[in-house]
Amino acid sequence: MKITLFLSIFLFVFVGAFAQNPQRKVNYLTSEEFKAKVFDYSKPEYKFNGSKPVLVDFYATWCGPCKALSPVVEAVARNYDGQIDVYKVDVDKEQEVAQAFGIRSIPALLFVPAEGTPNLLGGYMYYERLAINVAVLLLNQQLPTELVQIYQMQMQRMQEQENKGK
């Protein structure tokens, strides 16, 4: 019994230490931080304030698809570390930012390139789709034709499976 209690406490502390990951690559923004680090949406002219392209994940704590997307966004943040900045904005706490971008459904992802205009895409994305969007919309990379073909085949298969289920 003592061993079980000890192991339970150890496991709780051990898991808790990893849950508080200091290596986290995604940062949470308030509306004021958004204006300072990305761009000030309250001004009529668009001026990017960041030093690297930015991906912003608009989410809510109660949103199931947002929870599913969170590890995907974290993985993209780790894989593109040093190339892009990745932020999260809680639409319930930061309603001003959500209203400025017309966020009506979540999750929503805002792609803000260092040069050019921002793009807003809604809904859940698999890692491959999000990585492709980061490469194209934020880093202006040309994707290898093979990668695009593989992605298109995967999407076609998924759609065929969905159609069979209906």
Side-chain angles (χ1 to χ4, degrees):
M1 175 115 173
K2 289 181 182 178
I3 292 174
T4 305
L5 180 62
F6 174 77
L7 288 175
S8 296
I9 293 171
F10 175 77
L11 185 61
F12 179 77
V13 171
F14 185 75
V15 170
F18 281 100
Q20 304 285 333
N21 185 357
Q23 302 300 321
R24 173 169 254 158
K25 302 295 180 194
V26 177
N27 296 302
Y28 296 82
L29 292 180
T30 64
S31 58
E32 292 307 313
E33 290 170 328
F34 188 99
K35 291 175 183 177
K37 294 181 178 184
V38 184
F39 66 88
D40 188 346
Y41 50 82
S42 64
K43 294 184 178 177
E45 73 283 344
Y46 170 73
K47 180 184 174 282
F48 181 64
N49 293 328
S51 58
K52 294 181 268 192
V54 172
L55 171 65
V56 180
D57 176 14
F58 289 95
Y59 78 101
T61 57
W62 49 264
C63 169
C66 299
K67 289 177 185 177
L69 182 62
S70 189
V72 175
V73 171
E74 285 281 348
V76 165
R78 283 191 302 277
N79 289 337
Y80 287 96
D81 186 30
Q83 297 177 61
I84 66 171
D85 288 325
V86 181
Y87 301 116
K88 291 179 81 78
V89 174
D90 185 331
V91 297
D92 290 329
K93 291 181 181 176
E94 304 302 330
Q95 293 179 11
E96 178 184 314
V97 182
Q99 288 174 354
F101 292 99
I103 305 295
R104 298 193 190 284
S105 64
I106 49 176
L109 296 166
L110 180 66
F111 296 83
V112 186
E115 295 178 10
T117 57
N119 292 286
L120 183 67
L121 300 175
Y124 176 84
M125 289 186 198
Y126 290 98
Y127 176 83
E128 294 82 4
R129 181 174 173 212
L130 183 53
I132 287 171
N133 282 313
V134 166
V136 172
L137 298 174
L138 295 181
L139 301 175
N140 297 319
Q141 295 176 348
Q142 293 293 327
L143 296 177
T145 305
E146 300 84 25
L147 180 61
V148 174
Q149 290 172 342
I150 290 169
Y151 174 72
Q152 288 172 338
M153 287 188 308
Q154 288 175 339
M155 296 309 291
Q156 184 178 4
R157 262 188 259 132
M158 286 175 48
Q159 194 158 19
E160 288 170 0
Q161 289 173 350
E162 286 178 11
N163 290 339
K164 285 180 183 178
K166 291 182 180 179

